[in-house]
Amino acid sequence: HVQAVESGGGKVQAGGSLTLSCTTSAITFADYPMAWFRQAPGQQREGVSCISHSGDGTFFADSVKGRFTISRDNNKNTLYLQMNDLKPEDTAKYYCAALMYCSSSWLLIPGWEDSGWGQGTQVTVSS
């Protein structure tokens, strides 16, 4: 069981900023690339950004490139997502996940799909 715990969401106006955090203690955090996903009502979960296990490699979806920054602190087993210049279309519940690799294509670690997802943290952006 590798459930993550996400936090930091909230309600902001367009142009505002939020920083999300994610922790998970059931895996060796520093060994895995990590990612942020989001899911809006009625839509499929989509990948937002990922980061290599060491933090020296990142990838961003085109929709957030230049506005979001992903980082991690392996000493604290914590993943972050700094979100600036938020837009109404960023409204969604945000989740983190551990990956097999972080590149233009992603693969969740075995077991994450079934038991790894946390409750997520809601981000709501008003226009």
Side-chain angles (χ1 to χ4, degrees):
H1 192 65
V2 294
Q3 191 173 47
V5 178
E6 299 92 353
S7 62
K11 296 180 180 180
V12 298
Q13 291 189 328
S17 298
L18 285 171
T19 300
L20 307 183
S21 299
C22 161
T23 62
T24 176
S25 58
I27 59 171
T28 305
F29 183 81
D31 286 352
Y32 293 95
M34 296 292 295
W36 285 100
F37 290 78
R38 66 186 181 187
Q39 187 169 23
Q43 298 187 18
Q44 289 188 334
R45 198 171 348 230
E46 64 170 351
V48 174
S49 180
C50 66
I51 187 167
S52 65
H53 72 283
S54 63
D56 60 358
T58 59
F59 179 87
F60 296 90
D62 287 343
S63 58
V64 305
K65 201 172 292 184
R67 300 187 297 122
F68 290 11
T69 302
I70 190 170
S71 61
R72 64 190 297 161
D73 185 336
N74 287 343
N75 292 322
K76 297 181 179 179
N77 288 352
T78 303
L79 175 72
Y80 303 99
L81 186 69
Q82 172 69 43
M83 305 185 296
N84 297 324
D85 190 23
L86 282 161
K87 302 177 180 182
E89 51 264 42
D90 295 318
T91 295
K93 186 165 279 191
Y94 285 70
Y95 303 86
C96 67
L99 304 178
M100 295 296 290
Y101 49 80
C102 169
S103 64
S104 58
S105 63
W106 305 354
L107 181 67
L108 298 175
I109 64 169
W112 196 277
E113 186 63 50
D114 292 334
S115 60
W117 296 110
Q119 296 298 308
T121 186
Q122 179 67 39
V123 172
T124 303
V125 185
S126 59
S127 57

